[in-house]
Amino acid sequence: MADSAKTARIILEDGTEFEGTAFGHESSIAGEIMWYVGPADMSRIASDPALKGAILVVAQPAVGIVGIPDDATDALGLETQFESSSAQIAGLVVETHAEDATHHAAQKTLGKWLKKQQVTGISDIDTRALIQRLRERGSMRAKILVSDAKEVTFSSAGTHNQPENVSIKKPTTYGSGEKTIIAVDCGIRNSTIRSLAAPDITVKRVPASYDYGKDEADGIFVGGGPGDPTSCEKTIATLRAALEKNIPVFATGQGAVILAIAAGAAPYRMPNGHRASSVPVIDLANGRCYLTSQNHGYGVRDESLPSGW
């Protein structure tokens, strides 16, 4: 621990407390606490809109040695190494963080980047014990209190974690293909837009509350995001009307839950969500197992799905 390092505590809503060392922004914050399993590409996971306002616990024991890369953009104007233009998490909890970055592409250390992005970090935490606690009790609110910093309350958690706070503000077009996909931005990632933008495709990215009912489209895509999917009333209403037309519709992450709600299904909040880089999923039709990347906190009740879904 550096001589100038400040002590910090992370306190769960159930009273569980861990003491560690502050790094990054060094300001007290509150948020819903979530945990991520698997190798964590910090520039991508910390900038994922699905984690807006969250305190993220990383299961990987050592974080930050590769540093943070340059925020270069591609031909579409999207950041190549980040999932959005800025950090989305409110706090980061790690066992150990590297004060120096050794990767050849690193432009800054994790700590310096978090400080610039105003994200509070806490290290020297027994993340194994913390994650075990969260597995037992489920996700809850938490706060990171940094010594000599202003106190915060649990009630300040979750005030910015709704889709409208991460959604694009006005429609934006990517590419110039003959076919058009409307991408409904409830917290869509840069890599998703990049995957949709094939040479023969024009991607029209629209705000979550945008009414695209009169727009010409060959397909509709609903991107995932943060918060409670049942709060996306305008998104659901517009999508429900679109389902009555003969247009292909598909979705990922929490967008898939929004699609299910539009079809008439009932969602439920998962105790811990699925947030990992390698979640096994079995195709019940053929028994094949796929390793998937997931980052969402709600599921769909199978028995509530309409016939044919």
Side-chain angles (χ1 to χ4, degrees):
M1 182 189 301
D3 293 339
S4 59
K6 295 182 179 180
T7 59
R9 293 175 294 149
I10 180 166
I11 304 174
L12 306 185
E13 199 170 11
D14 67 356
T16 305
E17 182 175 328
F18 294 83
E19 184 170 325
T21 306
F23 71 103
H25 187 45
E26 295 186 352
S27 176
S28 299
I29 54 94
E32 182 179 357
I33 188 166
M34 305 172 183
W35 44 282
Y36 188 89
V37 177
D41 185 339
M42 289 312 307
S43 62
R44 292 190 183 280
I45 191 66
S47 61
D48 189 336
L51 293 173
K52 178 68 175 179
I55 295 176
L56 183 66
V57 185
V58 179
Q60 185 176 329
V63 176
I65 194 167
V66 299
I68 300 295
D70 186 22
D71 55 354
T73 56
D74 59 15
L76 299 175
L78 301 170
E79 293 80 9
T80 58
Q81 302 299 318
F82 300 83
E83 295 296 356
S84 64
S85 59
S86 63
Q88 300 292 342
I89 60 174
L92 179 65
V93 184
V94 299
E95 180 179 324
T96 304
H97 94 280
E99 296 184 1
D100 298 313
T102 60
H103 195 273
H104 68 90
Q107 295 295 310
K108 55 181 70 72
T109 65
L110 175 62
K112 288 183 178 179
W113 182 71
L114 292 180
K115 185 172 184 179
K116 181 179 180 181
Q117 296 290 319
Q118 297 188 343
V119 175
T120 301
I122 181 171
S123 63
D124 303 318
I125 297 296
D126 185 347
T127 51
R128 180 181 175 87
L130 175 54
I131 290 175
Q132 286 178 334
R133 185 64 174 176
L134 295 174
R135 283 177 62 95
E136 295 170 358
R137 301 297 299 273
S139 292
M140 63 187 86
R141 294 180 298 182
K143 53 186 178 181
I144 298 176
L145 301 180
V146 179
S147 61
D148 301 327
K150 185 179 179 180
E151 172 73 88
V152 294
T153 62
F154 290 119
S155 61
S156 61
T159 55
H160 304 291
N161 69 339
Q162 295 304 312
E164 61 265 23
N165 291 318
V166 294
S167 179
I168 199 168
K169 302 306 178 186
K170 59 181 181 180
T172 300
T173 300
Y174 305 92
S176 56
E178 295 181 359
K179 294 185 180 295
T180 298
I181 293 177
I182 291 178
V184 184
D185 184 5
C186 295
I188 200 168
R189 299 185 296 183
N190 284 345
S191 58
T192 302
I193 293 291
R194 193 175 295 112
S195 297
L196 293 174
D200 60 338
I201 297 293
T202 294
V203 178
K204 183 177 181 181
R205 182 181 184 180
V206 300
S209 59
Y210 180 83
D211 185 353
Y212 48 85
K214 296 182 180 180
D215 294 10
E216 293 293 330
D218 298 284
I220 298 170
F221 173 82
V222 187
D228 183 351
T230 62
S231 69
C232 303
E233 296 178 358
K234 291 183 179 179
T235 309
I236 293 169
T238 303
L239 186 55
R240 183 175 290 125
L243 289 175
E244 298 178 358
K245 302 177 181 180
N246 189 27
I247 302 175
V249 181
F250 57 118
T252 60
Q254 194 133 289
V257 180
I258 292 173
L259 173 57
I261 296 172
Y268 68 94
R269 182 169 181 172
M270 303 169 72
N272 285 299
H274 280 165
R275 308 186 192 280
S277 58
S278 55
V279 179
V281 174
I282 295 177
D283 185 337
L284 297 179
N286 57 27
R288 184 173 180 178
C289 181
Y290 298 86
L291 290 180
T292 67
S293 174
Q294 299 193 18
N295 192 1
H296 63 98
Y298 283 76
V300 179
R301 299 193 183 281
D302 291 351
E303 67 277 7
S304 72
L305 286 166
S307 176
W309 283 73

mmCIF file of all heavy atoms in Angstrom, residues 187-213:
data_model
loop_
_atom_site.group_PDB
_atom_site.id
_atom_site.type_symbol
_atom_site.label_atom_id
_atom_site.label_comp_id
_atom_site.label_asym_id
_atom_site.label_seq_id
_atom_site.Cartn_x
_atom_site.Cartn_y
_atom_site.Cartn_z
ATOM 1 N N GLY A 187 -29.383 0.369 -24.304
ATOM 2 C CA GLY A 187 -28.087 0.202 -23.666
ATOM 3 C C GLY A 187 -27.210 -0.668 -24.548
ATOM 4 O O GLY A 187 -26.507 -1.560 -24.072
ATOM 5 N N ILE A 188 -27.261 -0.422 -25.849
ATOM 6 C CA ILE A 188 -26.582 -1.263 -26.827
ATOM 7 C C ILE A 188 -25.082 -1.038 -26.785
ATOM 8 O O ILE A 188 -24.610 0.064 -26.516
ATOM 9 C CB ILE A 188 -27.157 -0.979 -28.234
ATOM 10 C CG1 ILE A 188 -26.858 -2.117 -29.187
ATOM 11 C CG2 ILE A 188 -26.662 0.341 -28.784
ATOM 12 C CD1 ILE A 188 -27.644 -2.034 -30.489
ATOM 13 N N ARG A 189 -24.314 -2.081 -27.026
ATOM 14 C CA ARG A 189 -22.854 -2.006 -26.973
ATOM 15 C C ARG A 189 -22.276 -1.669 -28.351
ATOM 16 O O ARG A 189 -22.855 -2.006 -29.376
ATOM 17 C CB ARG A 189 -22.273 -3.327 -26.480
ATOM 18 C CG ARG A 189 -22.723 -3.707 -25.087
ATOM 19 C CD ARG A 189 -22.029 -4.960 -24.585
ATOM 20 N NE ARG A 189 -22.365 -6.127 -25.382
ATOM 21 C CZ ARG A 189 -21.945 -7.358 -25.116
ATOM 22 N NH1 ARG A 189 -21.164 -7.568 -24.069
ATOM 23 N NH2 ARG A 189 -22.293 -8.367 -25.869
ATOM 24 N N ASN A 190 -21.107 -1.050 -28.351
ATOM 25 C CA ASN A 190 -20.432 -0.745 -29.609
ATOM 26 C C ASN A 190 -20.199 -1.995 -30.441
ATOM 27 O O ASN A 190 -20.378 -1.977 -31.663
ATOM 28 C CB ASN A 190 -19.083 -0.068 -29.334
ATOM 29 C CG ASN A 190 -19.228 1.389 -28.925
ATOM 30 O OD1 ASN A 190 -20.280 1.994 -29.102
ATOM 31 N ND2 ASN A 190 -18.172 1.950 -28.370
ATOM 32 N N SER A 191 -19.790 -3.082 -29.796
ATOM 33 C CA SER A 191 -19.499 -4.307 -30.535
ATOM 34 C C SER A 191 -20.746 -4.880 -31.194
ATOM 35 O O SER A 191 -20.660 -5.535 -32.239
ATOM 36 C CB SER A 191 -18.861 -5.347 -29.606
ATOM 37 O OG SER A 191 -19.708 -5.625 -28.510
ATOM 38 N N THR A 192 -21.910 -4.637 -30.616
ATOM 39 C CA THR A 192 -23.151 -5.110 -31.218
ATOM 40 C C THR A 192 -23.464 -4.328 -32.487
ATOM 41 O O THR A 192 -23.818 -4.910 -33.519
ATOM 42 C CB THR A 192 -24.318 -4.985 -30.221
ATOM 43 O OG1 THR A 192 -24.015 -5.727 -29.043
ATOM 44 C CG2 THR A 192 -25.609 -5.508 -30.823
ATOM 45 N N ILE A 193 -23.350 -3.007 -32.423
ATOM 46 C CA ILE A 193 -23.553 -2.180 -33.608
ATOM 47 C C ILE A 193 -22.585 -2.604 -34.706
ATOM 48 O O ILE A 193 -22.949 -2.746 -35.879
ATOM 49 C CB ILE A 193 -23.345 -0.692 -33.278
ATOM 50 C CG1 ILE A 193 -24.438 -0.184 -32.320
ATOM 51 C CG2 ILE A 193 -23.335 0.154 -34.552
ATOM 52 C CD1 ILE A 193 -25.807 -0.107 -32.929
ATOM 53 N N ARG A 194 -21.348 -2.857 -34.326
ATOM 54 C CA ARG A 194 -20.315 -3.243 -35.290
ATOM 55 C C ARG A 194 -20.660 -4.581 -35.947
ATOM 56 O O ARG A 194 -20.417 -4.782 -37.142
ATOM 57 C CB ARG A 194 -18.964 -3.312 -34.575
ATOM 58 C CG ARG A 194 -17.760 -3.388 -35.495
ATOM 59 C CD ARG A 194 -16.467 -3.337 -34.706
ATOM 60 N NE ARG A 194 -16.292 -2.059 -34.027
ATOM 61 C CZ ARG A 194 -16.319 -1.897 -32.708
ATOM 62 N NH1 ARG A 194 -16.498 -2.933 -31.908
ATOM 63 N NH2 ARG A 194 -16.156 -0.707 -32.178
ATOM 64 N N SER A 195 -21.231 -5.498 -35.189
ATOM 65 C CA SER A 195 -21.613 -6.797 -35.732
ATOM 66 C C SER A 195 -22.802 -6.684 -36.685
ATOM 67 O O SER A 195 -22.900 -7.431 -37.664
ATOM 68 C CB SER A 195 -21.962 -7.760 -34.598
ATOM 69 O OG SER A 195 -20.849 -8.016 -33.775
ATOM 70 N N LEU A 196 -23.710 -5.770 -36.406
ATOM 71 C CA LEU A 196 -24.892 -5.600 -37.254
ATOM 72 C C LEU A 196 -24.556 -4.909 -38.573
ATOM 73 O O LEU A 196 -25.203 -5.156 -39.596
ATOM 74 C CB LEU A 196 -25.952 -4.768 -36.517
ATOM 75 C CG LEU A 196 -26.609 -5.387 -35.286
ATOM 76 C CD1 LEU A 196 -27.512 -4.367 -34.610
ATOM 77 C CD2 LEU A 196 -27.404 -6.627 -35.658
ATOM 78 N N ALA A 197 -23.552 -4.058 -38.561
ATOM 79 C CA ALA A 197 -23.253 -3.198 -39.710
ATOM 80 C C ALA A 197 -22.467 -3.939 -40.789
ATOM 81 O O ALA A 197 -21.309 -3.623 -41.064
ATOM 82 C CB ALA A 197 -22.497 -1.956 -39.251
ATOM 83 N N ALA A 198 -23.106 -4.925 -41.426
ATOM 84 C CA ALA A 198 -22.493 -5.647 -42.541
ATOM 85 C C ALA A 198 -22.500 -4.758 -43.784
ATOM 86 O O ALA A 198 -23.213 -3.750 -43.833
ATOM 87 C CB ALA A 198 -23.272 -6.937 -42.791
ATOM 88 N N PRO A 199 -21.721 -5.106 -44.820
ATOM 89 C CA PRO A 199 -21.637 -4.258 -46.020
ATOM 90 C C PRO A 199 -22.978 -3.964 -46.678
ATOM 91 O O PRO A 199 -23.164 -2.886 -47.252
ATOM 92 C CB PRO A 199 -20.735 -5.084 -46.949
ATOM 93 C CG PRO A 199 -19.865 -5.870 -46.031
ATOM 94 C CD PRO A 199 -20.747 -6.233 -44.882
ATOM 95 N N ASP A 200 -23.923 -4.911 -46.633
ATOM 96 C CA ASP A 200 -25.217 -4.698 -47.288
ATOM 97 C C ASP A 200 -26.290 -4.188 -46.323
ATOM 98 O O ASP A 200 -27.479 -4.181 -46.657
ATOM 99 C CB ASP A 200 -25.695 -5.994 -47.944
ATOM 100 C CG ASP A 200 -25.871 -7.135 -46.948
ATOM 101 O OD1 ASP A 200 -25.257 -7.063 -45.869
ATOM 102 O OD2 ASP A 200 -26.622 -8.082 -47.246
ATOM 103 N N ILE A 201 -25.877 -3.744 -45.137
ATOM 104 C CA ILE A 201 -26.824 -3.337 -44.098
ATOM 105 C C ILE A 201 -26.619 -1.875 -43.703
ATOM 106 O O ILE A 201 -25.488 -1.406 -43.540
ATOM 107 C CB ILE A 201 -26.678 -4.214 -42.833
ATOM 108 C CG1 ILE A 201 -27.017 -5.674 -43.134
ATOM 109 C CG2 ILE A 201 -27.539 -3.684 -41.685
ATOM 110 C CD1 ILE A 201 -28.465 -5.910 -43.481
ATOM 111 N N THR A 202 -27.726 -1.163 -43.527
ATOM 112 C CA THR A 202 -27.727 0.143 -42.878
ATOM 113 C C THR A 202 -28.339 -0.050 -41.490
ATOM 114 O O THR A 202 -29.441 -0.589 -41.370
ATOM 115 C CB THR A 202 -28.569 1.165 -43.659
ATOM 116 O OG1 THR A 202 -27.956 1.409 -44.922
ATOM 117 C CG2 THR A 202 -28.670 2.491 -42.898
ATOM 118 N N VAL A 203 -27.621 0.351 -40.476
ATOM 119 C CA VAL A 203 -28.121 0.250 -39.105
ATOM 120 C C VAL A 203 -28.618 1.622 -38.670
ATOM 121 O O VAL A 203 -27.849 2.591 -38.645
ATOM 122 C CB VAL A 203 -27.030 -0.248 -38.134
ATOM 123 C CG1 VAL A 203 -27.577 -0.287 -36.710
ATOM 124 C CG2 VAL A 203 -26.534 -1.623 -38.544
ATOM 125 N N LYS A 204 -29.887 1.697 -38.342
ATOM 126 C CA LYS A 204 -30.461 2.937 -37.816
ATOM 127 C C LYS A 204 -30.643 2.763 -36.315
ATOM 128 O O LYS A 204 -31.547 2.058 -35.866
ATOM 129 C CB LYS A 204 -31.794 3.267 -38.482
ATOM 130 C CG LYS A 204 -32.384 4.589 -38.018
ATOM 131 C CD LYS A 204 -33.677 4.925 -38.754
ATOM 132 C CE LYS A 204 -34.237 6.264 -38.282
ATOM 133 N NZ LYS A 204 -35.516 6.594 -38.979
ATOM 134 N N ARG A 205 -29.781 3.383 -35.549
ATOM 135 C CA ARG A 205 -29.815 3.287 -34.087
ATOM 136 C C ARG A 205 -30.746 4.358 -33.538
ATOM 137 O O ARG A 205 -30.574 5.544 -33.820
ATOM 138 C CB ARG A 205 -28.401 3.471 -33.544
ATOM 139 C CG ARG A 205 -28.242 3.354 -32.049
ATOM 140 C CD ARG A 205 -26.783 3.590 -31.714
ATOM 141 N NE ARG A 205 -26.481 3.412 -30.300
ATOM 142 C CZ ARG A 205 -25.252 3.569 -29.786
ATOM 143 N NH1 ARG A 205 -24.246 3.896 -30.587
ATOM 144 N NH2 ARG A 205 -25.045 3.384 -28.503
ATOM 145 N N VAL A 206 -31.759 3.940 -32.781
ATOM 146 C CA VAL A 206 -32.769 4.889 -32.308
ATOM 147 C C VAL A 206 -32.861 4.846 -30.779
ATOM 148 O O VAL A 206 -32.542 3.840 -30.156
ATOM 149 C CB VAL A 206 -34.151 4.579 -32.924
ATOM 150 C CG1 VAL A 206 -34.088 4.660 -34.449
ATOM 151 C CG2 VAL A 206 -34.666 3.210 -32.489
ATOM 152 N N PRO A 207 -33.311 5.964 -30.163
ATOM 153 C CA PRO A 207 -33.487 5.978 -28.703
ATOM 154 C C PRO A 207 -34.488 4.930 -28.248
ATOM 155 O O PRO A 207 -35.355 4.492 -29.016
ATOM 156 C CB PRO A 207 -34.014 7.401 -28.441
ATOM 157 C CG PRO A 207 -33.554 8.205 -29.613
ATOM 158 C CD PRO A 207 -33.589 7.272 -30.779
ATOM 159 N N ALA A 208 -34.390 4.542 -26.985
ATOM 160 C CA ALA A 208 -35.264 3.498 -26.444
ATOM 161 C C ALA A 208 -36.742 3.860 -26.566
ATOM 162 O O ALA A 208 -37.585 2.989 -26.796
ATOM 163 C CB ALA A 208 -34.900 3.240 -24.990
ATOM 164 N N SER A 209 -37.078 5.134 -26.419
ATOM 165 C CA SER A 209 -38.479 5.561 -26.449
ATOM 166 C C SER A 209 -38.946 6.009 -27.830
ATOM 167 O O SER A 209 -40.060 6.507 -27.983
ATOM 168 C CB SER A 209 -38.689 6.707 -25.444
ATOM 169 O OG SER A 209 -37.849 7.813 -25.760
ATOM 170 N N TYR A 210 -38.122 5.825 -28.853
ATOM 171 C CA TYR A 210 -38.426 6.284 -30.208
ATOM 172 C C TYR A 210 -39.530 5.426 -30.835
ATOM 173 O O TYR A 210 -39.539 4.207 -30.710
ATOM 174 C CB TYR A 210 -37.155 6.206 -31.056
ATOM 175 C CG TYR A 210 -37.292 6.653 -32.487
ATOM 176 C CD1 TYR A 210 -37.222 8.007 -32.832
ATOM 177 C CD2 TYR A 210 -37.474 5.727 -33.507
ATOM 178 C CE1 TYR A 210 -37.320 8.400 -34.144
ATOM 179 C CE2 TYR A 210 -37.578 6.119 -34.831
ATOM 180 C CZ TYR A 210 -37.501 7.465 -35.142
ATOM 181 O OH TYR A 210 -37.595 7.866 -36.455
ATOM 182 N N ASP A 211 -40.473 6.084 -31.511
ATOM 183 C CA ASP A 211 -41.553 5.375 -32.198
ATOM 184 C C ASP A 211 -41.153 5.190 -33.662
ATOM 185 O O ASP A 211 -41.197 6.123 -34.459
ATOM 186 C CB ASP A 211 -42.854 6.164 -32.102
ATOM 187 C CG ASP A 211 -44.039 5.403 -32.689
ATOM 188 O OD1 ASP A 211 -43.821 4.320 -33.282
ATOM 189 O OD2 ASP A 211 -45.183 5.885 -32.572
ATOM 190 N N TYR A 212 -40.742 3.981 -34.014
ATOM 191 C CA TYR A 212 -40.289 3.686 -35.368
ATOM 192 C C TYR A 212 -41.386 2.993 -36.185
ATOM 193 O O TYR A 212 -41.107 2.380 -37.226
ATOM 194 C CB TYR A 212 -39.040 2.794 -35.323
ATOM 195 C CG TYR A 212 -39.158 1.605 -34.396
ATOM 196 C CD1 TYR A 212 -39.741 0.418 -34.809
ATOM 197 C CD2 TYR A 212 -38.711 1.680 -33.085
ATOM 198 C CE1 TYR A 212 -39.869 -0.666 -33.965
ATOM 199 C CE2 TYR A 212 -38.837 0.605 -32.218
ATOM 200 C CZ TYR A 212 -39.413 -0.558 -32.669
ATOM 201 O OH TYR A 212 -39.548 -1.625 -31.814
ATOM 202 N N GLY A 213 -42.615 3.111 -35.731
ATOM 203 C CA GLY A 213 -43.733 2.411 -36.369
ATOM 204 C C GLY A 213 -43.918 2.732 -37.836
ATOM 205 O O GLY A 213 -44.359 1.883 -38.616
#
